[in-house]
Every structure is written in structure tokens, then in C-alpha cells.
Amino acid sequence: MANKMRNCPECGRLFIDTGAGMCSDCVAEEEKKELIVSSYLRDNPGSTIKQIYEATGIKEKTIMRMIRAGRFIGKGAITYPCERCGEFISEGRYCVKCTQELQNDIKKMSDVMNKKQQKTRDSKLDSRGMYSK
Ligand SMILES: [Zn+2]
Ligand SMILES: [Zn+2]
């Protein structure tokens, strides 16, 4: 895979993207921030992003990115709002309730799709039946 030149989303400088999504300076910076957040979480388990931001000065956006990258998952030490309802969670993107509701929605949607397919099949059978009369 060829490496692509692109602008670093953090500092705007051109760099070769090797998969980190940021230039090496910003990756190093991010790793430093990650250590700061990790050690803060060790001392203050169950902190919210806002509390971490207030204590460390690290931008909420940056902390969210670390969480999305799975940096603190499993430690149960951080809480952040569910992307759907804002409930505080410590793992994944949604709270348990929303995860269930989303799964139900997906199930409902596939049920509807199945019914639709069934219907078109039935109507085809009907018309065929009419013609044969
Ligand atoms: Zn950069
Ligand atoms: Zn939720």
C-alpha cells in the first residue's frame, strides 16, 4: 500500500500518512496526552471527559478520539456520554439501553425487508394465478 501525503488534522502540516492519521509530531504529542489522561484516570477512576479536560487541559475532542480509538476501553475508568441519548457510559459508543434499542431497530428493519420481499413474491404468484385463469 502506497503512503499518501496529506495534511495533519491537528497541526495542518503536510505529512506522509502511514496509518496513524496524524504527523509524527502530533502522534508523539498525542501519546504524551494519553499518558497524562491514563495517569489522571488511575487516580480519579470514573471521571467524565469534562473533568479530565478541566484537570489536564486536554481538549475534549482529543479525549473522545482516544476513547473511540479504544485507548481506555476495558479500564472502566472513564465515562462519556452515549452518542444517542447522552447517558454516561464507559464502553462502546452507546449505552446498554440504546444498544438494545438499536438492535431492535435493526431487527425491525430486517423484518420489514423480509415482509416486503415476501409481498413481492406473493403478488407475483397472484398475477401468475390470474393469467392462468
Ligand atoms: Zn501534526
Ligand atoms: Zn443511550
Side-chain angles (χ1 to χ4, degrees):
M1 207 168 68
N3 290 331
K4 283 178 296 187
M5 291 291 285
R6 52 177 287 198
N7 286 314
C8 173
E10 280 300 298
C11 66
R13 267 196 318 219
L14 216 61
F15 75 109
I16 298 165
D17 192 356
T18 54
M22 282 182 286
C23 73
S24 52
D25 282 357
C26 289
V27 168
E29 194 61 31
E30 182 110 335
E31 276 166 6
K32 240 186 274 167
K33 286 176 186 166
E34 213 178 290
L35 282 178
I36 296 170
V37 175
S38 290
S39 71
Y40 177 78
L41 283 173
R42 211 170 29 232
D43 297 337
N44 306 276
S47 301
T48 62
I49 291 171
K50 205 169 181 312
Q51 284 168 335
I52 298 168
Y53 166 68
E54 278 163 4
T56 64
I58 294 166
K59 277 181 278 180
E60 294 178 39
K61 207 183 82 191
T62 308
I63 300 168
M64 272 319 284
R65 193 171 54 223
M66 292 178 191
I67 293 167
R68 292 235 172 78
R71 295 291 192 258
F72 312 117
I73 283 177
K75 294 185 183 172
I78 191 167
T79 54
Y80 51 95
C82 161
E83 286 186 19
R84 199 160 166 265
C85 73
E87 180 87 36
F88 281 107
I89 52 174
S90 60
E91 220 178 275
R93 291 174 63 184
Y94 306 108
C95 68
V96 178
K97 207 176 109 236
C98 287
T99 305
Q100 262 167 12
E101 280 176 17
L102 286 169
Q103 273 167 357
N104 283 343
D105 282 356
I106 292 166
K107 201 173 165 298
K108 248 184 252 161
M109 249 157 56
S110 66
D111 280 355
V112 169
M113 291 287 280
N114 284 340
K115 265 186 202 133
K116 258 188 199 157
Q117 274 168 8
Q118 185 76 38
K119 238 185 196 164
T120 44
R121 246 201 319 267
D122 286 353
S123 65
K124 265 181 203 153
L125 283 177
D126 280 356
S127 55
R128 212 181 294 149
M130 259 179 359
Y131 286 125
S132 70
K133 255 176 220 168

